[in-house]
Amino acid sequence: MSFGLSQQRSSVAFDMTTGAEVSFDVENASCILDIHSNISMNMAEFGLPEFLTHGNFSKWVSLDANEGVAVTGLTSCGAVFIANKDFSRVAAGHMSGDARFVKDWCNKLSNSNSNVQPHFILWGTGPTGSRKTGGKVLMEYMRYFGISPSRAPAVASCGAIFLVRSQRGVAYASNTIAIPFKRRGQAVREFKMPTQEESAVRDYFNLETFNSQSLPDQLMLIQAIARLVNHENIPLAFDEESQKKLISLHGKVVTKAYLELVPVLLKSRFLQFEIFKLYPDWKH
């Protein structure tokens, strides 16, 4: 089951077990954890800092009745929630840049508490992201946890999404980047500026979004690298011949410059990008 938001449809609330839309007073629900950013933030005891290169991801969060976990501030980013059968345990992630499968996070959840059995997935994508890969990535999470499509509802074009424990579990999504719930504990917004190394790693993972064999993606990759290395602006191109010319003209220069900036641990991974298969001399 899936829902889509727009200017005409600003929010939706639905029963996680049936997919039926419900009336829900979100202002009277309490948010225990608000993962409001995909850059470094203090998630207190709920945080898993080892996954910061992929966004912000939580441990299992214990919920009482009418308490929930939220992922807000979505634009191109994605939100993923894993919940047990009675919604007393929820873990969530704010995926950086676009939808992405973070297998190590899934492993961490699976190994951290054998008494928690994942039963539901809630999926949300921002208004400008996950157009090409969101569905495929959601299926990877479903396969990993053995969850069927009927237990993995999705909301497209949302700015914020909130999963609340109730008799059956309620999901509430809005096209705004915040939700007017009651805040408790770590739901208070608290930012930490990323270090230079964290920023460099995050820049790299954003580039992986454009790693494909398609010419438009390869041109967007070169344009994105050009911005990171302060290269001249590379214009848009919509026909295949123009795209090839721009890639050939600027590609070697910007990739060479970026090879001096890419984090050392990720350099070999960057050199495996599809574009280097077409232009192997760019590696040198």
Side-chain angles (χ1 to χ4, degrees), residues 56-209:
N56 284 301
F57 293 82
S58 82
K59 303 175 183 177
W60 290 114
V61 180
S62 298
L63 298 179
D64 290 327
N66 210 37
E67 292 181 340
V69 172
V71 177
T72 61
L74 297 172
T75 51
S76 65
C77 307
V80 57
F81 298 77
I82 313 296
N84 67 347
K85 193 170 185 177
D86 67 357
F87 303 95
S88 61
R89 299 289 188 278
V90 172
H94 189 145
M95 298 173 282
S96 179
D98 206 337
R100 59 179 72 226
F101 178 61
V102 185
K103 185 176 181 179
D104 289 342
W105 176 60
C106 298
N107 291 338
K108 184 85 172 182
L109 295 179
S110 296
N111 297 329
S112 62
N113 190 336
S114 59
N115 294 323
V116 180
Q117 298 297 320
H119 193 78
F120 292 97
I121 293 175
L122 174 61
W123 185 256
T125 53
T128 64
S130 307
R131 297 301 182 190
K132 294 185 299 181
T133 60
K136 294 180 181 178
V137 179
L138 171 56
M139 289 182 66
E140 290 189 75
Y141 283 101
M142 290 163 57
R143 282 194 293 266
Y144 181 95
F145 290 110
I147 293 175
S148 65
S150 63
R151 291 186 277 119
V155 183
S157 297
C158 59
I161 187 165
F162 186 32
L163 179 57
V164 182
R165 184 184 183 186
S166 65
Q167 286 185 332
R168 290 194 174 97
V170 171
Y172 177 91
S174 171
N175 64 359
T176 61
I177 61 171
I179 295 174
F181 38 55
K182 294 179 181 177
R183 297 182 179 278
R184 288 184 52 196
Q186 183 51 32
V188 175
R189 294 171 180 265
E190 188 174 350
F191 283 99
K192 178 175 75 72
M193 291 300 293
T195 64
Q196 186 174 2
E197 182 180 1
E198 288 170 342
S199 295
V201 170
R202 190 155 287 115
D203 287 340
Y204 167 81
F205 281 106
N206 287 335
L207 294 180
E208 282 199 338
T209 305

Side-chain angles (χ1 to χ4, degrees), residues 14-15 28 39 45 55 59 85 111 119 169 171 206 239 280:
F14 56 91
D15 185 320
N28 284 321
I39 66 170
E45 73 271 20
K59 303 175 183 177
K85 193 170 185 177
N111 297 329
H119 193 78
N206 287 335
D239 62 277

